[in-house]
Amino acid sequence: MIAQQLENITTYKQESAIELAPLLQADANLFKNSILYDRVMPLANLRETSTIMETNTTHFKRAWQELYDARATPTNKHIALKDFNKLVTHYQNQGFIPVGFLHLDFTQFTNTALTDLEEDRTTINQLAIRNRATTASPYENKHLFLASPITESSIKTPANTPVNFQFGTLGVQQATTNITTLQVIYNNVTKTIVQNGTLTQPNFSFSFASSGLKTLLFKATLNNNQQLISNATINVIIQNVLYKSNTPTDINATEAFIGYDEPTDCNGNCFGRGEYQVFYGEDANGNQRNNLQKPLIILDGFDPGDERKIDKNEGSIVKLIDNDGKEANMNKFKKAGFDVVILNFPKYKIGTDSYNFIHPLTNQNVSINYDVYRDGGADYVERNANVLKALINKLNGELATNGSTEKLKIIGPSMGGLISRVALTQMEKANQNHNADIWVSFDSPHLGANIPIGLQYFFNFMELDQVEMLKTPAARQMLLTQVVEPTYTTRNTFKNLLNTLGFPQQTRNLALINGSTSGSIQGTPKGVELDLNVKVIGTLLGSLGRYKIKTFATHDGGRHKIFERYKRFLFFKNTKSAYLVDNSGRGSLDNAPGGTFDMKNEFESFLGINLPLTNANSGSAANAMFNITDAPAKLAVKLLVPLILNNLNSSIYLNLHQGSPSFIPTKSALAFTGTNKLWRERLDNRNLVCTGETPFHSYYAPNTNEAHITLNSNNIPWVLEELKGNPQKPNVDLFKNQDIMGDLAVCKNKTNTYNLDIPNFCSGYNITWSTSPNIQIQSFSNNSVSVTAINSTNDAIGYIKAYIQEQNKFIEKVVWVGIPNPNFLSISILGSYNFYANQWTKLKVVHPIPPIELMGNDPSFGLTYQWSVPNSMVRNFNDTSIIDVKPFSSGQLNIGVKMQNQCGCTNFKYQLFNVTNQSTGGNGGGHIITPMRGN
């Protein structure tokens, strides 16, 4: 049993080392070493003792986490990564960039022992016996020294301004040797941090003159005179002018909320906090106001880390409202007189805490006090709803003070729609006057949101930063499928709350969504979403190593693979797969109609290239990932990275094949209540308000799926009319595929009746009928009209037209009026045929009047043709305007044709042609059919 579990660990490390350590108490080193080899070594890229090590923040934190997990015996000399991050934040708040270090001895499996284990040529017991023997030990001893500044992003600083670093606290030292001297070197400037074994300069600084990737060299001298070097890379961005913006106003909730998994003190503070900024509108004279009169509240949505500020950067909420600068929506609100109040949920301090640990260099107990923050952009919906309540009360107080009787309008994008829904309904149930009359839910996940489960598994498996986003309270409340909380406790609790609350009852509730109602899906169920393929050092016998990952879109039901990982090094192969079983009958969630999340664009923005990522553009990707802006360095990286990969006969490939999965399904944004649970059900064939399949009073949906939270020139007029107090019906075109039914011709001395099938959903469709001047209406009702041709009208085009007032839409039917006139007819050759005796030639009727475009570019519209062709063989076609003629002999040929429609037929119209004998010039030479004259 122990052997099997250890073999599982050496191939795939998902379990906690601390939990499994007791299984191997008899040989704890064996457990520890297997973890170190399979997890730490690849991540930290550690190979040999006394080698110059290369690292950066990401490499270092990965190594820290893997070393922590690999401990056979817990010790407070190596703190967990979450505590490590707390201390990093503490020092950053004090203006320092902390420097982490690892100095330790460890043991690992030899390559021979690991290969024996992987290929089942030996057992754990045999390895243990070998370990206790005097020869052929399965272990080898290693030594590690690694140092790196810890910064989550680029270091932004004015040129030649000191950047402060802190060394000594965030580290692990577990080695038989001690560091006697430690120096850090940059740009030929040396700072001595440790001297004679004593930490003498824990704080040091360097200045940077230009932007780009910088390398700090850490050189350690041990008490055995061995020297170790660790190179750490950081990215520096020189800022010549610091951005200054208006300071938003803080708003604090007056009602407490305790999270589902929080202690009674909510880890320091149960009251939510927000910040808001007012952008005043114009008065009736076009002058901008300076006090609140007509407020329109727009909330922020899901924003972990508060990346979106109100009006500070490219990704600000203002930019989001303006569709990334493509639309001037903020100005449209301003011109309409609205005071736009933007509410943001930032990170904010909720208390202080202390952390006790043993200093890695002085070996003394250390206690550090640090601030504890809450991430408002990913906090519980209910706590943020309490913030909105406080803002509503404050704005209503200002309206009263300013003498305004206006009602509040609220737009809640994405998670903001849930926040505002909860706030408004809770206020109503508590008999609190919110004074709001219009609430717009903007592509909000009332039935849940979707991040592809395959990609979630990828993030979790690779331990990427996105996992922390998936763990936030708001993500766990909203996500329909989850990897990080498979019990769905948070999700189910939140669903129960929404079901209990329902929707606001004192407002006009509108759903503005970005998902199509046509049933059009995104991508392909079961199809590949992410494809990563890395080949390491190719040889004639194949590559030395290979690493491949694929994720797949969800499917329409049953059991299907969503994740696959394959790795190989030399002869060792290992595959890890994950499957999803779905018998809900709802169909593929990733491919459902809905507001999309452009994941491909996110990847491309991060990599700075257009996918796929290959050797050719890998250098550009490296520049983007490390924010290298220095021109010479940028060019060098762009050229060198592909060159190195090609010289090593290695390759990299990364692509997203379905890069825009459904994020907010259409049915979720509409809070769909119908009986059909299929995500991709077509909804544009009925008015969901009339059928009672949505709780909203009206809604707007695009014709095709759009990016989530897109406020564009198509939907903003609909929203503005609603905000102005002009109710809009759902933009469902129930007449999209409707035609006026009736004859193709209106004849003399006959009454023709035309009908329009009005959908049997809702009342209130008022139809107005009209006709062309050559047709007279005799009688009409809402869905039919009876007409006759006006006397003397002959051979003309007319129309019957229905106008649907509620949709401002015309439906038109083009008709012949009277019997066609043959005088306009002519006969032409179809194609470039030669007309000879005993050879086939195609002829076609030409009827230039009335214009063909009036007949839908179909000259046979409502017509059939009869031909008279003497002295010839004739082949007919379904299209009677075309025939194939084979004259028996040369000479003159008089061909006639007449037309017929529903009103009657014409006389024959004749046209005389010359037919010649077969040419002897070869290759079918001769004369084209020649019209002689027309009768």
Side-chain angles (χ1 to χ4, degrees):
M1 175 180 175
I2 293 176
Q4 182 60 48
Q5 292 198 34
L6 183 55
E7 288 175 358
N8 291 339
I9 295 167
T10 59
T11 56
Y12 175 61
K13 300 300 175 300
Q14 183 75 16
E15 303 89 343
S16 165
I18 296 176
E19 293 175 359
L20 295 177
L23 298 174
L24 295 164
Q25 290 178 355
D27 199 350
N29 279 334
L30 190 62
F31 175 85
K32 178 178 68 174
N33 300 335
S34 66
I35 299 288
L36 283 172
Y37 186 89
D38 192 52
R39 301 192 73 184
V40 179
M41 305 305 285
L43 287 170
N45 195 24
L46 314 179
R47 291 292 179 265
E48 299 292 340
T49 303
S50 304
T51 303
I52 297 177
M53 307 305 299
E54 301 279 350
T55 190
N56 58 30
T57 296
T58 301
H59 296 153
F60 185 89
K61 292 180 75 170
R62 289 276 186 87
W64 184 282
Q65 178 65 53
E66 302 302 341
L67 283 167
Y68 182 84
D69 290 343
R71 298 175 305 159
T73 304
T75 171
N76 57 358
K77 291 185 178 181
H78 189 177
I79 63 177
L81 187 60
K82 61 181 180 64
D83 296 317
F84 180 94
N85 290 331
K86 291 178 183 177
L87 295 177
V88 169
T89 301
H90 166 73
Y91 286 111
Q92 289 175 343
N93 290 337
Q94 292 185 335
F96 289 94
I97 296 175
V99 177
F101 74 95
L102 296 169
H103 177 227
L104 56 108
D105 298 324
F106 61 91
T107 307
Q108 70 180 30
F109 280 134
T110 63
N111 287 336
T112 300
L114 187 63
T115 301
D116 287 345
L117 271 176
E118 290 163 347
E119 299 183 2
D120 295 326
R121 291 201 293 257
T122 188
T123 66
I124 295 295
N125 290 335
Q126 290 172 334
L127 277 179
I129 293 172
R130 186 189 304 177
N131 183 40
R132 289 187 282 270
T134 57
T135 59
S137 171
Y139 310 126
E140 58 184 345
N141 295 323
K142 293 290 182 179
H143 186 84
L144 169 66
F145 172 68
L146 200 64
S148 176
I150 309 300
T151 174
E152 294 299 327
S153 59
S154 303
I155 298 174
K156 299 177 182 179
T157 176
N160 302 313
T161 301
V163 175
N164 299 315
F165 299 87
Q166 194 279 341
F167 182 90
T169 304
L170 301 180
V172 174
Q173 180 167 243
Q174 290 178 270
T176 56
T177 55
N178 294 322
I179 297 175
T180 57
T181 303
L182 177 63
Q183 296 176 319
V184 56
I185 303 169
Y186 171 72
N187 199 24
N188 296 322
V189 176
T190 301
K191 305 289 179 73
T192 301
I193 301 172
V194 176
Q195 191 168 18
N196 296 326
T198 302
L199 181 63
T200 57
Q201 191 178 357
N203 301 329
F204 61 92
S205 63
F206 287 111
S207 300
F208 304 96
S210 62
S211 299
L213 201 63
K214 312 298 180 183
T215 300
L216 303 184
L217 186 148
F218 292 88
K219 183 169 68 175
T221 303
L222 308 182
N223 56 2
N224 61 0
N225 294 323
Q226 182 183 9
Q227 284 195 343
L228 301 175
I229 293 176
S230 178
N231 287 330
T233 56
I234 56 175
N235 189 65
V236 174
I237 296 178
I238 297 300
Q239 292 183 321
N240 295 322
V241 179
L242 296 179
Y243 185 91
K244 295 182 180 180
S245 65
N246 296 328
T247 302
T249 303
D250 290 336
I251 184 74
N252 296 311
T254 58
E255 297 179 40
F257 172 78
I258 301 175
Y260 312 157
D261 56 358
E262 291 179 339
T264 54
D265 68 345
C266 307
N267 298 313
N269 189 344
C270 296
F271 294 86
R273 180 181 302 175
E275 57 183 16
Y276 72 96
Q277 193 167 341
V278 182
F279 299 82
Y280 292 107
E282 294 180 353
D283 59 22
N285 298 319
N287 300 316
Q288 182 169 317
R289 292 192 298 268
N290 58 9
N291 65 358
L292 194 72
Q293 292 289 329
K294 195 175 180 180
L296 167 62
I297 303 174
I298 302 180
L299 293 74
D300 194 15
F302 184 64
D303 183 22
D306 191 30
E307 296 293 328
R308 280 191 303 267
K309 307 298 181 182
I310 292 178
D311 188 24
K312 186 177 180 181
N313 50 31
E314 284 301 314
S316 68
I317 302 173
V318 167
K319 285 285 187 181
L320 183 68
I321 295 171
D322 281 343
N323 196 11
D324 288 332
K326 300 183 186 71
E327 309 284 345
N329 295 324
M330 286 290 289
N331 191 56
K332 293 174 184 176
F333 291 136
K334 175 182 177 181
K335 294 293 185 183
F338 292 107
D339 305 319
V340 178
V341 182
I342 297 180
L343 175 61
N344 182 41
F345 303 101
K347 293 179 69 173
Y348 54 94
K349 179 181 174 181
I350 59 174
T352 58
D353 205 345
S354 62
Y355 189 76
N356 300 314
F357 62 99
I358 298 177
H359 195 289
L361 294 178
T362 65
N363 209 31
Q364 296 177 344
N365 288 322
V366 177
S367 180
I368 291 180
N369 295 322
Y370 60 89
D371 295 333
V372 179
Y373 286 82
R374 175 178 291 138
D375 189 354
D379 193 20
Y380 287 99
V381 168
E382 298 94 317
R383 188 145 46 213
N384 283 333
N386 288 343
V387 176
L388 175 58
K389 294 177 195 175
L391 177 64
I392 288 173
N393 290 331
K394 184 174 183 179
L395 295 182
N396 282 330
E398 289 187 30
L399 288 177
T401 300
N402 297 336
S404 173
T405 58
E406 290 284 349
K407 298 285 188 179
L408 300 181
K409 324 290 183 187
I410 300 176
I411 299 178
S414 192
M415 186 178 75
L418 298 179
I419 293 171
S420 49
R421 171 184 168 182
V422 170
L424 292 172
T425 51
Q426 286 183 341
M427 291 183 77
E428 289 179 1
K429 290 180 181 296
N431 293 319
Q432 299 172 2
N433 180 22
H434 51 59
N435 191 39
D437 62 349
I438 291 180
W439 168 58
V440 182
S441 168
F442 186 8
D443 212 33
S444 300
H446 296 283
L447 302 183
N450 173 61
I451 293 177
I453 190 71
L455 289 177
Q456 289 189 51
Y457 201 96
F458 169 72
F459 298 149
N460 193 55
F461 183 85
M462 299 296 292
E463 298 179 348
L464 301 180
D465 292 341
Q466 286 86 348
V467 175
E468 296 305 313
M469 177 268 291
L470 298 176
K471 292 179 180 178
T472 61
R476 289 182 287 126
Q477 284 182 307
M478 294 186 293
L479 284 178
L480 285 160
T481 58
Q482 300 185 25
V483 167
V484 299
E485 191 178 38
T487 61
Y488 291 88
T489 302
T490 303
R491 170 70 186 153
N492 291 332
T493 303
F494 184 61
K495 281 173 57 178
N496 292 335
L497 171 74
L498 292 181
N499 292 335
T500 301
L501 287 176
F503 286 80
Q505 300 299 307
Q506 300 171 16
T507 53
R508 177 169 170 79
N509 302 333
L510 308 169
L512 173 64
I513 73 173
N514 294 122
S516 169
T517 52
S518 67
S520 59
I521 66 172
Q522 295 293 114
T524 306
K526 299 185 182 180
V528 175
E529 287 186 320
L530 180 143
D531 186 1
L532 171 65
N533 194 331
V534 180
K535 182 181 75 173
V536 181
I537 307 179
T539 67
L540 292 176
L541 300 177
S543 60
L544 295 182
R546 200 173 195 106
Y547 196 86
K548 296 192 294 183
I549 284 183
K550 285 185 178 180
T551 68
F552 305 87
T554 51
H555 44 99
D556 285 332
R559 183 176 184 267
H560 188 73
K561 184 183 294 184
I562 56 169
F563 175 87
E564 177 183 85
R565 189 271 285 136
Y566 166 85
K567 69 175 181 178
R568 177 180 58 77
F569 185 72
L570 296 177
F571 302 107
F572 165 62
K573 299 178 182 179
N574 180 256
T575 301
K576 176 70 178 179
S577 298
Y579 294 82
L580 176 69
V581 178
D582 179 16
N583 296 315
S584 67
R586 299 181 71 94
S588 174
L589 180 58
D590 297 344
N591 307 114
T596 64
F597 177 59
D598 193 350
M599 302 195 74
K600 186 172 184 180
N601 181 65
E602 292 292 318
F603 272 78
E604 288 179 337
S605 298
F606 174 72
L607 295 172
I609 59 168
N610 291 326
L611 290 176
L613 169 64
T614 62
N615 285 16
N617 56 11
S618 57
S620 298
N623 278 322
M625 290 184 341
F626 292 107
N627 293 316
I628 299 174
T629 57
D630 182 67
K634 192 173 183 178
L635 179 62
V637 171
K638 180 178 180 180
L639 298 175
L640 284 176
V641 172
L643 182 63
I644 293 171
L645 287 171
N646 292 330
N647 286 342
L648 291 175
N649 200 16
S650 300
S651 65
I652 183 170
Y653 176 84
L654 172 66
N655 201 7
L656 280 176
H657 296 284
Q658 300 190 61
S660 298
S662 176
F663 183 43
I664 308 297
T666 294
K667 284 191 170 182
S668 179
L670 290 170
F672 182 77
T673 58
T675 57
N676 188 335
K677 301 303 180 183
L678 189 66
W679 287 116
R680 63 171 177 267
E681 179 192 1
R682 182 176 177 180
L683 302 174
D684 63 351
N685 55 5
R686 60 194 187 274
N687 184 328
L688 301 178
V689 177
C690 299
T691 60
E693 294 175 281
T694 180
F696 291 98
H697 297 115
S698 189
Y699 58 91
Y700 183 99
N703 293 325
T704 57
N705 296 315
E706 299 173 338
H708 176 55
I709 305 302
T710 298
L711 196 60
N712 54 37
S713 57
N714 293 321
N715 56 26
I716 190 66
W718 187 91
V719 175
L720 275 173
E721 287 302 312
E722 282 281 3
L723 295 175
K724 292 175 183 177
N726 303 317
Q728 303 293 296
K729 289 185 177 294
N731 71 317
V732 182
D733 187 0
L734 299 179
F735 296 88
K736 180 167 56 178
N737 299 314
Q738 291 276 25
D739 292 320
I740 297 174
M741 306 302 295
D743 294 334
L744 295 176
V746 177
C747 311
K748 296 179 181 178
N749 304 319
K750 177 186 175 183
T751 299
N752 299 75
T753 300
Y754 294 88
N755 298 284
L756 181 64
D757 185 13
I758 299 177
N760 190 27
F761 297 115
C762 291
S763 59
Y765 285 113
N766 296 302
I767 312 299
T768 302
W769 295 93
S770 61
T771 62
S772 56
N774 51 3
I775 297 176
Q776 181 174 341
I777 296 177
Q778 298 297 331
S779 63
F780 64 90
S781 65
N782 202 43
N783 64 340
S784 68
V785 63
S786 296
V787 301
T788 58
I790 293 178
N791 292 337
S792 75
T793 299
N794 196 52
D795 193 37
I797 289 293
Y799 63 79
I800 314 294
K801 191 178 293 186
Y803 173 65
I804 301 97
Q805 298 179 24
E806 287 73 21
Q807 293 195 338
N808 190 27
K809 178 176 182 175
F810 287 95
I811 298 178
E812 183 180 275
K813 184 178 185 66
V814 178
V815 295
W816 286 99
V817 182
I819 300 174
N821 188 337
N823 293 331
F824 299 112
L825 284 181
S826 64
I827 302 172
S828 68
I829 304 167
L830 187 64
S832 56
Y833 296 96
N834 294 331
F835 199 19
Y836 304 116
N838 297 313
Q839 289 191 9
W840 292 102
T841 299
K842 284 188 173 67
L843 303 179
K844 183 175 179 63
V845 175
V846 176
H847 189 276
I849 299 175
I852 290 177
E853 57 268 18
L854 292 180
M855 297 179 284
N857 290 317
D858 182 3
S860 64
F861 183 83
L863 296 175
T864 57
Y865 298 86
Q866 296 180 33
W867 293 81
S868 174
V869 184
N871 195 31
S872 304
M873 294 181 63
V874 176
R875 293 190 298 204
N876 297 310
F877 300 92
N878 291 332
D879 182 356
T880 59
S881 68
I882 301 173
I883 61 169
D884 217 353
V885 177
K886 184 178 181 180
F888 293 142
S889 61
S890 61
Q892 291 186 339
L893 190 62
N894 202 19
I895 299 176
V897 65
K898 67 178 180 178
M899 300 183 293
Q900 181 174 357
N901 69 2
Q902 292 172 328
C903 296
C905 65
T906 68
N907 297 322
F908 276 104
K909 170 75 179 296
Y910 289 93
Q911 194 165 325
L912 191 62
F913 296 90
N914 264 342
V915 180
T916 61
N917 289 322
Q918 174 68 44
S919 171
T920 57
N923 298 325
H927 295 85
I928 299 174
I929 185 170
T930 305
M932 299 295 291
R933 69 179 183 274
N935 293 334

